[in-house]
Amino acid sequence: MKRYSIALIGIMLVGITVGCTKDEDAPVQVGSTTGTSGTQTPPSTGSTTATTSKETLLQLVNAARTSGCNCGSTYMPPVKALVWNSTLEQAALAHSKDMNQKGYFSHTGSDGSSAGDRITRLGYVWLAWGENIAMGYTSEKAVVDAWLASEGHCKNIMSSMFTEMGVARDGAYWTQEFGKPR
């Protein structure tokens, strides 16, 4: 039986909220919660970094951002497209590898680091950051669709606070890092 799991973290005014569908007349609600989606046992996979398409990931994420969508019951208006950042991609890859090699699924690294710590270590000077993680998805479309179908992950994707992103996968583990440089 395949297991899928997603988790998110949002920092610096990033709210948490399910499904991304365009609806200009959707009501805006205030307030949200944070959390993870389900408790899953990590699959046993070796450290095999999968090739991901930056262009596909950017296209999928930016299609939602530039159209606007509902994240759960909250309408998120269109926002500017994100640009790819290789430092955020490196941080995402390091975290995906760490989770895969050590068999855990969390925003907290095996060394106790947060996503903010990990991107800072690589020299990214940030004003804001956020992170989505997922496990078990086999394609860019599947993982982005899952993030957009989850209220909090969708809000991270749609946050106007972020201007850049990097995504990486190792085995079944995906990490999406968001940032806004200082």
Side-chain angles (χ1 to χ4, degrees), residues 86-108:
S86 60
T87 301
L88 294 175
E89 177 187 16
Q90 287 177 318
L93 180 59
H95 189 56
S96 291
K97 282 184 174 184
D98 188 45
M99 289 190 293
N100 191 26
Q101 291 171 355
K102 296 186 174 135
Y104 72 96
F105 183 67
S106 175
H107 291 288
T108 303

Side-chain angles (χ1 to χ4, degrees), residues 3 39-45 99-100 102-105 135 172-173:
R3 294 182 179 243
T39 303
Q40 302 293 334
T41 304
S44 120
T45 60
M99 289 190 293
N100 191 26
K102 296 186 174 135
Y104 72 96
F105 183 67
M135 180 180 68
Y173 295 84

